[in-house]
């Protein structure tokens, strides 16, 4: 039994599986970069950046730099794997090839936390911005359908209708084909980046340098406390690697898409942070759900506020598209390997998408968004992602030892130093998460172990081969 826990997939058989399922190869480097920006630039810059400013003050820019460096270390590891094992499944597939089945299952189980909960969290923020936008046209929803129960004290709501509907709509778009999905994503990403640039260009002329003093009002503790919120803003760049089997030239395009999107998003976040905290004193961002709109209102340029709200809605829409896309491809790979029910591994004969997987997890995400408060889900998303990053970074070191001559389209520099720094940085961020988050995470892992030994191990394709 102990040997079966560490059984590994052969690279040749993995490529044969990919040919049989025949996903549609249409994505280019540009599409992947747009996919990465679509995943990263969303609720982090339009919603959670306000929470970070209230926690760290103007030093929030340092929090973003720390989070970006942590992600860069992990991104370099992802880039090597994506160019070496260009298959659907992202970190799950990489660990199955290098470490073994049990760890692959654990990382896949954690990726459900990252992607599924991220879609639900962002849908909750999207709902708030959408309701704010339509209220300008005199349209208001019944209180009972405005947010998940328990989200806000004194509000008697039992179902977040906008959050539920938007996820169902995006699920339908994704199920109809990656060609249609990428067009929708690319257009919305270009619009939201344009909105962010408009905010920077208009806002920079009204910045009051006095608002940057003191730069670090809560000290180093405040900077690190805000780093978790900053890290949440970067979650999603790894979703690019899940698109490997739908990429025209994955060995070159995947590493470029990962690194290009991370660099562009880091620059945008840092500049927006400086402008935002220069427009409004940091203390005023506490409890604010639309910090960018609040900041631009101080300029007196009221015509931009509606554009900002529209940019926020589009920004969060693309995050949901990419995260739902990544989730369905990883779950598709796990079901193809037998660790999840095989019905989830079926591709639609016309659309060439994992149709059943897309609808199953889309409905799950919609229900979570409708019924579970955003704060409960956010930290679980972060801890699940960090755990996945740690395993991928460790896997790169293992891969260099076990397959030194394997052809690589991209090589992570300074191995094992960079992967070790990634492990240390991710572990530090995990350590700073709350005790309740750790309890929930451990419970999730226990459930995952039970599912593995109760179902997945016996239904694994490698188990049947043995």
């Amino acid at each position: 039994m102990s040997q079966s826990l560490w059984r590994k997939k052969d690279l040749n058989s993995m490529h044969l599986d990919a040919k049989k399922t025949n996903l549609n190869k249409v994505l280019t480097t540009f599409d992947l970069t747009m996919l990465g920006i679509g995943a990263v630039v969303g609720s982090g810059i339009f919603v959670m950046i306000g929470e970070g400013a209230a926690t760290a003050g103007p030093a929030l820019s340092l929090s973003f730099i720390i989070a970006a460096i942590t992600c860069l270390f992990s991104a370099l590891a992802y880039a090597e794997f994506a160019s070496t094992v260009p298959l659907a499944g992202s970190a799950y597939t990489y660990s199955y090839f290098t470490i073994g089945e049990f760890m692959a299952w654990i990382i896949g189980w954690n990726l459900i936390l990252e992607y599924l909960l991220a879609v639900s969290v962002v849908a909750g923020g999207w709902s708030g911005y959408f309701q704010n936008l339509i209220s300008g046209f005199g349209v208001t929803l019944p209180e009972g359908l405005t947010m998940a129960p328990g989200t806000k004290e004194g509000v008697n709501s039992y179902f977040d209708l906008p959050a539920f509907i938007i996820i169902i709509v995006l699920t339908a778009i994704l199920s109809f084909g990656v060609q249609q999905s990428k067009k929708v994503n690319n257009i919305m990403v270009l619009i939201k980046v344009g909105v962010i640039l408009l905010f920077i260009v208009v806002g920079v002329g009204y910045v009051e340098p006095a608002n940057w003093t003191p730069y670090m009002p809560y000290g180093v503790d405040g900077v690190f406390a805000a780093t978790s919120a900053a890290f949440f803003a970067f979650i999603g760049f790894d979703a690019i690697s899940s698109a490997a089997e739908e990429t025209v030239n994955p060995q070159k395009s995947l590493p470029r898409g990962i690194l290009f999107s991370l660099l562009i998003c880091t620059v945008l976040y840092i500049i927006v942070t400086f402008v935002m905290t220069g427009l409004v004193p940091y203390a005023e961002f506490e409890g604010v759900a639309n910090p960018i709109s609040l900041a631009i209102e101080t300029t007196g340029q009221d015509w931009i506020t509606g554009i900002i709200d529209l940019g926020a809605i589009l920004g969060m829409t693309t995050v949901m598209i990419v995260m739902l896309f990544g989730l369905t491809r990883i779950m598709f790979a796990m079901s193809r390997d037998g660790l999840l029910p095989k019905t989830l591994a079926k591709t639609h004969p016309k659309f060439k998408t994992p149709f059943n997987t897309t609808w199953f997890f889309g409905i799950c995400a919609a229900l979570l968004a409708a019924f579970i408060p955003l704060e409960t889900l956010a930290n679980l998303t972060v801890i699940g992602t960090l755990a996945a990053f740690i395993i991928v970074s460790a896997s790169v070191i293992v891969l260099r030892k076990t397959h030194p001559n394997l052809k690589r389209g991209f090589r992570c520099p300074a191995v094992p130093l960079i992967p070790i720094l990634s492990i240390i940085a991710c572990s530090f961020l995990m350590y700073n998460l709350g005790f309740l988050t750790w309890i929930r995470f451990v419970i999730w892992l226990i459930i995952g172990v039970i599912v593995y030994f109760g179902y997945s191990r016996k239904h694994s394709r490698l188990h049947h081969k043995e």
Side-chain angles (χ1 to χ4, degrees):
M1 175 180 170
S2 61
Q3 287 185 337
S4 68
L5 297 180
W6 309 109
R7 55 196 176 198
K8 302 173 185 176
K9 289 203 71 176
D10 175 72
L11 191 57
N12 290 330
S13 66
M14 293 164 76
H15 280 294
L16 286 174
D17 288 342
K19 288 180 180 179
K20 290 177 185 176
T21 47
N22 192 30
L23 293 173
N24 202 10
K25 290 182 177 291
V26 296
L27 300 176
T28 64
T29 299
F30 175 77
D31 296 325
L32 294 174
T33 303
M34 291 295 101
L35 208 64
I37 297 172
V40 174
V41 178
S43 59
I45 203 166
F46 288 108
V47 180
M48 301 194 76
I49 199 171
E51 175 192 333
T55 304
L60 176 62
S61 56
L62 292 179
S63 301
F64 274 108
I65 291 171
I66 294 169
I69 291 172
T70 301
C71 289
L72 176 61
F73 291 152
S74 301
L76 291 170
Y78 267 93
E80 174 163 334
F81 267 117
S83 69
T84 310
V85 190
L87 299 163
S90 185
Y92 157 77
T93 298
Y94 308 154
S95 54
Y96 210 155
F97 173 58
T98 55
I99 301 178
E101 183 176 280
F102 181 67
M103 287 306 297
W105 167 261
I106 292 298
I107 200 171
W109 191 249
N110 284 338
L111 287 171
I112 296 176
L113 276 182
E114 175 184 354
Y115 290 100
L116 181 65
L117 299 190
V119 173
S120 303
V121 169
V122 174
W126 185 96
S127 174
Y129 265 97
F130 176 76
Q131 291 178 61
N132 186 55
L133 183 66
I134 63 174
S135 67
F137 297 96
V139 179
T140 56
L141 297 176
E143 186 179 83
L145 302 176
T146 55
M147 61 186 69
T151 298
K152 189 174 182 180
E153 191 175 344
V155 177
N156 188 25
S157 180
Y158 56 87
F159 189 81
D160 193 334
L161 182 62
F164 181 86
I165 290 176
I166 186 59
I167 294 178
I168 294 299
V169 169
L170 297 181
T171 298
I173 292 172
L174 285 169
S175 68
F176 293 148
V178 69
Q179 182 75 30
Q180 292 76 13
S181 303
K182 79 165 189 175
K183 289 178 180 178
V184 172
N185 180 72
N186 290 353
I187 292 169
M188 288 195 287
V189 167
L190 290 172
I191 292 173
K192 75 176 177 181
V193 170
V195 170
I196 292 169
L197 293 175
L198 177 64
F199 167 78
I200 293 170
V201 170
V202 174
V204 73
Y206 295 88
V207 163
E208 292 289 343
N211 289 333
W212 292 331
T213 306
Y215 179 68
M216 201 182 295
Y218 305 113
V220 175
D221 290 343
V223 172
F224 283 118
T227 301
S228 291
F231 182 82
F232 181 86
F234 283 104
I235 287 176
F237 76 86
D238 53 315
I240 296 173
S241 60
S242 66
E245 290 180 32
E246 290 151 289
T247 301
V248 177
N249 187 357
Q251 284 81 6
K252 290 185 178 180
S253 294
L254 286 169
R256 291 173 182 174
I258 290 171
L259 297 175
F260 288 170
S261 60
L262 187 59
L263 176 63
I264 292 169
C265 293
T266 300
V267 172
L268 285 176
Y269 273 130
I270 292 173
I271 296 174
V272 167
T273 299
F274 272 116
V275 173
M276 188 183 79
T277 54
L279 289 172
V280 179
Y282 61 87
E284 294 184 20
F285 287 109
E286 187 170 359
V288 174
N290 53 342
I292 301 297
S293 297
L294 172 67
I296 206 66
E297 283 173 5
T298 63
T299 67
Q301 303 293 330
D302 295 336
W303 61 275
I304 301 179
T305 304
I307 297 176
I308 296 293
D309 287 344
L310 177 62
I313 290 171
L314 293 177
M316 287 183 275
T317 302
T318 61
V319 172
M320 288 184 282
I321 288 175
V322 178
M323 300 304 274
L324 196 55
F325 173 89
L327 171 67
T328 56
R329 270 52 182 180
I330 293 167
M331 296 303 105
F332 167 75
M334 293 177 74
S335 59
R336 186 169 62 185
D337 293 333
L339 302 186
L340 291 174
K342 289 184 178 180
T343 184
L344 297 177
K346 293 180 179 178
T347 55
H348 195 282
K350 179 181 178 182
F351 305 131
K352 294 185 178 181
T353 60
F355 197 83
N356 295 345
T357 309
T358 301
W359 276 105
F360 176 79
F361 286 100
I363 291 171
C364 288
L367 291 173
L368 281 172
F371 288 109
I372 308 296
L374 184 149
E375 273 188 29
T376 305
L377 300 174
N379 282 338
L380 271 175
T381 304
V382 172
I383 198 169
T385 305
L386 288 168
F389 285 4
I390 288 172
I391 296 176
V392 170
S393 299
S395 296
V396 165
I397 300 174
V398 174
L399 186 69
R400 289 291 182 91
K401 294 290 184 182
T402 57
H403 296 80
N405 300 319
L406 193 64
K407 184 179 179 181
R408 293 164 168 82
F410 176 89
R411 294 179 70 89
C412 175
V415 174
L417 178 60
I418 293 296
I420 289 173
L421 289 175
S422 174
I423 293 169
I424 292 171
C426 291
S427 299
F428 178 75
L429 291 181
M430 288 180 76
Y431 173 78
N432 281 281
L433 292 171
F435 178 73
L436 188 57
T437 299
W438 271 98
I439 293 296
R440 290 168 176 161
F441 181 59
V442 170
I443 292 172
W444 177 255
L445 287 179
I446 291 172
I447 295 171
V449 171
I450 293 171
V451 173
Y452 176 76
F453 284 103
Y455 177 88
S456 302
R457 191 176 70 87
K458 293 181 291 186
H459 289 82
S460 165
R461 289 179 60 194
L462 292 188
H463 175 75
H464 289 298
K465 286 182 180 180
E466 291 174 353

